[in-house]
Structure formats: C-alpha cells, structure tokens
C-alpha cells in the first residue's frame, strides 16, 4: 500500500474511542471490551477497513477487531467508523508480529488476511502474513475449530501460501484461483484492494485453512 504521512494521524488514533491503546492489557479478556461473549474475528492488515466494517455492520452478533500497522491508513478506517452506530468493531494499531502478546490461547474464532503485502524478496519471506512463522502465531490464538481465510490477486504469494500452510501443520480445506467465478464466492465481501484489482481484470485467489 502506498503510504502518505497523514499529519496528526497517530495522535488522532490514540485518542479515538474506536482504537484500543495498550491492547496487551486485554489479553484473555477481550469479551470485556465488547461487553458480551460473542465470537471474535480479526482482520490482520485491514488497511482502510472497508471489509471488516461491512462485516461488522452485517453481523452484529460477531465482534470484530481490525489490526493495522500504519496510522496513515488506520485513520481512514476510523473516519468511516465514526459515521456508523455499531458496538462490535474496534481497531488496534500494531505490528501483527506481536499478536500473541495481545490475544490469549483460543481467544479468536476466525482470522482474515486480505491482499497481504507480498514481500517478494526471499529474505523477507518471514514477514509474509501467510508464512509458517505467522501461522505458528495464529496457532497460539485461534480456537481449535477456528479458520484462517486468505484472499489475494498475487499468484506467487498464493502459491507460496499453498506450500507454507501445510508445512506449518495446517490443512487447506478449500481454495480457488478465481474466487469471483467459483462457488466459494457466495456471500463474498469485497475489500478495497479486491475491488481495485478485480476491476483491472485480475483473478482473485482464496484459501481457507484449519488445523
Ligand atoms: N486488507 C486491505 C485490503 O484488502 O484492501 C489492505 C491491503 S494492503 C495491501 C495490506 C495492509 O496490511 C497494509 O495496510 C499494511 O500496512 C498492512 N500490514 C502489512 N503487514 C502488517 C503487519 N505485520 N501488521 C499489521 N498490518 C500489516
């Protein structure tokens, strides 16, 4: 994602009622943030947040947490969030590398990864959100019957993921190289990147993984 520094975004995020500062303090008790025991779904690398916001509006009985590394992007999600009256969506500005400091074992019911940064150089493979290093982190926080759902238009990243995920000890229970023309598309909610790349004619790839 091309990043422009948005002046004051870090301060605006820190003071937003929709951002959880010091998220480590809620490890094992995220239900207290939402005031209920509904399942918690997270999106890692949510960008401007359209996908997770649309899901939260459509599914009031599920709690959503959007995770994004950069303030200049997250601020856009917060601006949209202010305009809607829902109780089931909050954001964290953090690097997902530290996700195990923030969520306890089995605290999360589903993880979404959408159009994750490809990190094309081999020496950066560990930074890819579908690397086995990241799946080891997801293993620590996801419920036993939980799933990871991943979408991308980047074929090399998708092929890498199809190899890495089984190597990490997970099973790919469904996948497609052309989501929008497959039966996996039923109920699909588009992300900002998905809309942009599919309108350029790129096929969208999707996989679902469980342990
Ligand atoms: N998911 C959105 C979509 O599909 O429209 C945004 C996709 S964008 C290419 C990837 C986003 O993931 C960027 O906003 C980037 O800052 C974020 N990101 C990448 N690595 C991350 C990490 N380790 N922790 C948190 N966010 C990350």
């Amino acid at each position: 994602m091309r990043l422009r520094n948005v002046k004051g975004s870090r301060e605006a995020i820190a003071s937003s009622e929709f951002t959880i500062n010091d998220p480590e303090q809620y490890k094992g008790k995220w239900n207290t943030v939402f005031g209920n025991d509904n399942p918690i779904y997270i999106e890692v690398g949510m960008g401007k947040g359209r996908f997770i916001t649309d899901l939260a509006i459509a599914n009031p009985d599920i709690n959503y947490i959007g995770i994004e590394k950069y303030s200049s992007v997250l601020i856009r999600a917060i601006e949209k969030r202010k305009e809607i009256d829902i109780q089931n969506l909050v954001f964290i500005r953090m690097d997902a590398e530290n996700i195990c400091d923030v969520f306890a074992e089995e605290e999360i019911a589903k993880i979404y990864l959408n159009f994750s940064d490809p990190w094309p150089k081999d020496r950066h493979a560990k930074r890819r959100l579908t690397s086995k290093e990241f799946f080891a982190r997801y293993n620590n926080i996801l419920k036993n019957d939980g799933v990871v759902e991943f979408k991308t238009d980047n074929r090399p990243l998708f092929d890498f993921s199809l190899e890495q995920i089984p190597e990490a000890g997970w099973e790919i229970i469904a996948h497609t190289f052309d989501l929008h023309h497959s039966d996996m598309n039923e109920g699909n909610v588009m992300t900002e990147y998905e809309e942009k790349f599919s309108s350029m004619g790129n096929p969208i790839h999707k996989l679902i993984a469980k342990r």
Side-chain angles (χ1 to χ4, degrees):
M1 176 172 285
R2 196 164 61 88
L3 293 174
R4 266 182 309 122
N5 191 25
V6 178
K7 208 167 170 232
S9 57
R10 194 174 267 254
E11 297 72 22
I13 286 166
S15 62
S16 166
E17 62 186 299
F18 305 119
T19 314
I20 304 297
N21 297 307
D22 302 323
E24 297 82 3
Q25 67 179 301
Y26 294 107
K27 182 172 177 171
K29 37 190 178 192
W30 279 93
N31 56 343
T32 64
V33 169
F34 296 103
N36 60 54
D37 286 324
N38 292 341
I40 300 174
Y41 291 8
I42 64 174
E43 183 184 7
V44 181
M46 56 167 237
K48 295 178 188 166
R50 168 177 150 184
F51 171 84
I52 197 164
T53 303
D54 285 352
L55 283 185
I57 294 168
N59 303 292
D61 294 338
I62 296 172
N63 296 321
Y64 292 90
I65 303 175
I67 295 172
E68 171 53 49
K69 189 158 61 167
Y70 291 112
S71 308
S72 50
V73 189
L74 178 52
I75 192 72
R76 303 295 176 216
I78 289 177
E79 281 163 2
K80 263 182 279 175
R81 175 73 183 83
K82 282 183 198 159
E83 290 164 15
I84 47 170
D85 183 18
I86 54 173
Q87 311 302 320
N88 59 332
L89 174 61
V90 296
F91 304 121
I92 306 173
R93 190 187 62 75
M94 66 176 281
D95 189 320
E97 267 185 25
N98 304 317
I99 208 166
C100 297
D101 298 336
V102 167
F103 301 112
E105 244 178 73
E106 295 212 41
E107 194 159 25
I108 299 304
K110 193 184 274 198
I111 299 175
Y112 293 106
L113 310 171
N114 291 317
F115 296 79
S116 310
D117 295 340
W119 293 105
K121 293 191 176 123
D122 283 350
R123 68 188 156 88
H124 290 148
K126 286 183 186 169
R127 297 185 192 176
R128 297 174 193 151
L129 295 182
T130 53
S131 65
K132 54 180 188 289
E133 288 78 9
F134 266 98
F135 267 79
R137 296 180 178 109
Y138 306 147
N139 196 35
N140 280 332
I141 63 170
L142 198 64
K143 285 191 183 303
N144 284 332
D145 59 352
V147 294
V148 177
E149 297 198 7
F150 171 52
K151 292 194 279 190
T152 183
D153 69 321
N154 186 304
R155 184 63 189 262
L157 179 64
F158 194 65
D159 288 344
F160 166 86
S161 310
L162 288 173
E163 278 180 21
Q164 281 278 292
I165 295 170
E167 269 181 41
W170 293 57
E171 185 190 349
I172 294 173
I173 54 173
H175 76 280
T176 173
F177 294 97
D178 190 0
L179 175 64
H180 294 174
H181 299 101
S182 98
D183 52 12
M184 284 176 75
N185 198 43
E186 201 187 322
N188 183 49
V189 173
M190 295 250 256
T191 81
E192 267 119 356
Y193 269 63
E194 183 172 355
E195 185 153 291
K196 179 174 154 193
F197 290 124
S198 61
S199 72
M200 289 161 59
N202 296 5
I204 305 302
H205 319 311
K206 177 172 180 177
L207 65 79
I208 303 175
K210 75 169 180 60
R211 278 155 303 177

